Amino acid sequence: MSAVGNTIDYAQQSRVFDIDSMYQATHWLGVGFKYAIRNGDLKPTQTVGNWFPSEAQLWIARADLLIVREWTGCWS
């Protein structure tokens, strides 16, 4: 795969599916998950050539912490 300027010299057709979920476990902890898959076909040039399969997957797991400290001082 190469590109010169804005010209791409391959053809691609794809289908993408994703799912994203977030769960608030406590008032200070959230956990999340994302999965995406791209399934498609490529061919070496835009006009000629045989299509061949192409697939990519993405997995992401995350945890979000919310830490709040109470401040009892005063502004000066």
Side-chain angles (χ1 to χ4, degrees):
M1 175 172 79
S2 65
V4 177
N6 291 330
T7 305
I8 298 174
D9 65 352
Y10 68 94
Q12 178 179 10
Q13 56 187 15
S14 298
R15 293 150 306 278
V16 177
F17 171 77
D18 72 280
I19 186 168
D20 192 350
S21 178
M22 189 72 171
Y23 175 71
Q24 193 68 36
T26 68
H27 70 282
W28 55 270
L29 175 65
V31 292
F33 167 79
K34 176 175 245 180
Y35 172 74
I37 185 169
R38 179 191 49 81
N39 190 318
D41 301 295
L42 295 172
K43 68 179 180 175
T45 67
Q46 292 186 9
T47 56
V48 296
N50 294 326
W51 291 98
F52 58 93
S54 172
E55 181 179 288
Q57 295 184 31
L58 171 72
W59 296 81
I60 297 175
R62 65 185 265 188
D64 295 334
L65 298 174
L66 176 62
I67 301 172
V68 178
R69 291 189 177 177
E70 191 173 317
W71 184 63
T72 57
C74 63
W75 296 98
S76 53

